[in-house]
Amino acid sequence: MKQKVYVTGAGIISAIGVGKEATLRSILNEASGVMPMSYLESEHSYLPVGEVKLSNAEMSHALNVSYPINELRTVLLGIFAAKEAVEEARLKAMDLRKAAFISGTTVGGMDKTERHFKSVFDANADTPDCKELKYNDCGYSSNLIADYLGNFQIVTTPSTACSSAANAIILGANLIKAGIVDIAVVGGSEALTKFHLNGFNSLMILDKERCRPFDKGRAGINLGEGAAYIVLESAQSVKNRGARVLAELIGYGNSCDAFHQTATSENGDGAYLAMRKALDMSHLNPDEIDYVNTHGTGTPNNDICELAAMERIWGAELPDFSSTKPFTGHTTSASGSIEAVICLLSIANGVRPKSIGVSISLKDDITPLTETKRDCSTKNVMNNSFGFGGNDSSLIFSEHEGTIG
């Protein structure tokens, strides 16, 4: 399990843009994509969300796809991001036949289910609409995204709430280290749905304004949607293909504290264990981490517990940290990979994004980045993704220097 894992491609779509260039531009301009609802039809239209600024019809036309993909927003978003990642890595059809495609999601095809469920329920009998409910399955979304790209050796779907995409990345890395595949296209996709919005609203954790992670006045999350994927490769595959390396995935950790269905423990036990495991695997000292892209949801519970866990790692001297969810909204199952791509952009461009909306720090002696840092050497970046049920994951990406040995 000592084999190194490299990143050779990345793709992203979210409320702040389609593709890596648009995403970086929005971060540099400190331009949030969290806005009033435009595409999702909901009686809760007063809630701000991070929507991708494209309709299903516009995405379907751009991708040249038809039924059923044109009615499945999770799939459309996933194809956009995965296509960019595969193209940047210059993967060919023969490469995909020996690769894994691992896509995290929880909502899956719920947007389509919502359009048909009532007629099926009311009919109390077999109707044509019944056949549409099969697309609700999370694995169906992954299969449709994978089929658009080509034929993969392995296709699978982790669904661990907000750590789903991060766990897809971990699974892909483990498959490479175990010698099962040499290439893995990994990440996640999640679309906004009524079910999605209503579920979080019932928990009373949605902010009616733009979210403010790590601010004393924080009042909850803004839901978002999007997708991101990265291409992971073994050293041998990189050498054989002459692939360009974007970064190295040098550490990762997953824990499950099972403390509560939706809350984290006061000491942040699960978060601490995930970060500690990632650091141990990376063989980095805590002070070698230049920037932490936190889970940072803006809920009263998450932010204070995440800071407690970080203090257990770093003491009083925390590295630069911020939450990018005020940019994208909380993209739930896709958040781990969306924020992983933002971390890769941070390494490549020497940028550390600000934490939008902080006016009074949650703790007087600990303040997230309130200004965007530019032109700063950023070699080692940690990305946190914490899911319901205490399923917590941390990833560490590092700048790659030198040749592949």
Side-chain angles (χ1 to χ4, degrees):
M1 297 288 280
K2 295 181 180 179
Q3 187 168 175
K4 292 187 175 183
V5 177
Y6 297 99
V7 181
T8 58
I12 185 170
I13 183 171
S14 75
I16 57 173
V18 179
K20 291 201 296 179
E21 289 186 14
T23 302
L24 177 61
R25 190 161 54 247
S26 292
I27 288 171
L28 290 173
N29 292 335
E30 300 179 355
S32 172
V34 175
M35 298 177 181
M37 220 173 281
S38 296
Y39 297 97
L40 182 65
E41 296 179 1
S42 170
E43 63 185 57
H44 304 298
S45 57
Y46 57 89
L47 292 168
V49 292
E51 291 178 302
V52 170
K53 309 306 187 283
L54 292 169
S55 68
N56 284 9
E58 289 170 325
M59 287 192 283
S60 298
H61 178 74
L63 297 170
N64 191 28
V65 295
S66 56
Y67 176 88
I69 293 175
N70 63 337
E71 296 183 2
L72 292 162
R73 196 166 176 86
T74 293
V75 177
L76 291 166
L77 296 171
I79 290 173
F80 260 96
K83 184 171 180 284
E84 182 184 19
V86 167
E87 288 177 352
E88 182 176 39
R90 299 183 179 180
L91 294 177
K92 299 176 181 178
M94 61 180 293
D95 299 318
L96 298 182
R97 285 196 291 270
K98 299 178 288 184
F101 181 75
I102 308 171
S103 182
T105 189
T106 302
V107 167
M110 180 58 71
D111 57 331
K112 188 170 177 62
T113 298
E114 289 172 347
R115 293 194 291 273
H116 300 282
F117 184 79
K118 189 174 188 307
S119 67
V120 174
F121 183 83
D122 291 345
N124 197 27
D126 189 30
T127 71
D129 280 357
C130 283
K131 296 179 181 178
E132 301 302 311
L133 300 187
K134 67 182 179 183
Y135 296 109
N136 187 77
D137 181 76
C138 293
Y140 222 118
S141 294
S142 298
N143 285 334
L144 289 171
I145 299 168
D147 288 346
Y148 181 93
L149 300 172
N151 295 314
F152 286 84
Q153 178 182 334
I154 297 170
V155 179
T156 192
T157 308
S159 189
T160 55
C162 303
S163 58
S164 298
N167 285 335
I169 293 170
I170 290 173
L171 176 55
N174 283 337
L175 289 176
I176 289 171
K177 289 184 176 183
I180 295 171
V181 296
D182 283 322
I183 300 171
V185 181
V186 294
S189 182
E190 197 95 296
L192 278 170
T193 68
K194 294 178 184 179
F195 171 83
H196 201 185
L197 190 78
N198 293 346
F200 278 88
N201 197 36
S202 70
L203 295 173
M204 297 183 289
I205 56 173
L206 295 183
D207 198 338
K208 296 180 179 64
E209 302 175 21
R210 192 171 63 196
C211 65
R212 294 147 283 164
F214 304 111
D215 184 77
K216 276 191 176 179
R218 69 199 185 284
I221 72 175
N222 306 135
L223 281 177
E225 64 180 358
Y229 295 88
I230 62 177
V231 177
L232 300 179
E233 290 196 52
S234 67
Q236 191 61 52
S237 179
V238 169
K239 287 180 68 174
N240 291 346
R241 295 197 319 108
R244 183 173 72 95
V245 173
L246 305 181
E248 183 181 345
L249 176 61
I250 65 167
Y252 47 85
N254 170 263
S255 66
C256 191
D257 63 16
F259 172 76
H260 186 271
Q261 286 181 325
T262 59
T264 54
S265 64
E266 289 184 5
N267 293 326
D269 291 331
Y272 167 79
L273 287 170
M275 289 188 286
R276 185 70 262 170
K277 287 179 181 180
L279 282 166
D280 289 346
M281 181 184 288
S282 73
H283 298 295
L284 294 176
N285 294 319
D287 62 7
E288 292 179 277
I289 298 295
D290 299 308
Y291 167 67
V292 180
N293 188 298
T294 64
H295 189 54
T297 61
T299 62
N301 175 256
N302 175 88
D303 294 3
I304 192 69
C305 296
E306 188 167 8
L307 284 183
M310 290 172 69
E311 287 181 280
R312 291 171 68 180
I313 298 285
W314 284 280
E317 299 296 325
L318 268 62
D320 285 345
F321 72 96
S322 67
S323 170
T324 49
K325 287 179 173 67
F327 283 95
T328 63
H330 188 354
T331 56
T332 53
S333 289
S335 62
S337 55
I338 285 175
E339 290 156 18
V341 173
I342 291 173
C343 287
L344 295 174
L345 291 172
S346 178
I347 292 170
N349 297 279
V351 174
R352 301 178 194 175
K354 72 177 288 185
S355 215
I356 296 174
V358 178
S359 57
I360 303 175
S361 296
L362 176 56
K363 298 187 72 171
D364 293 337
D365 55 339
I366 298 178
T367 304
L369 289 171
T370 55
E371 298 293 336
T372 302
K373 279 196 173 182
R374 305 162 188 256
D375 302 319
C376 54
S377 176
T378 304
K379 294 186 176 181
N380 302 307
V381 176
M382 178 181 283
N383 176 27
N384 288 339
S385 298
F386 305 147
F388 282 169
N391 193 304
D392 301 333
S393 294
S394 294
L395 311 170
I396 298 176
F397 295 96
S398 289
E399 179 183 56
H400 172 69
E401 298 175 332
T403 58
I404 306 296

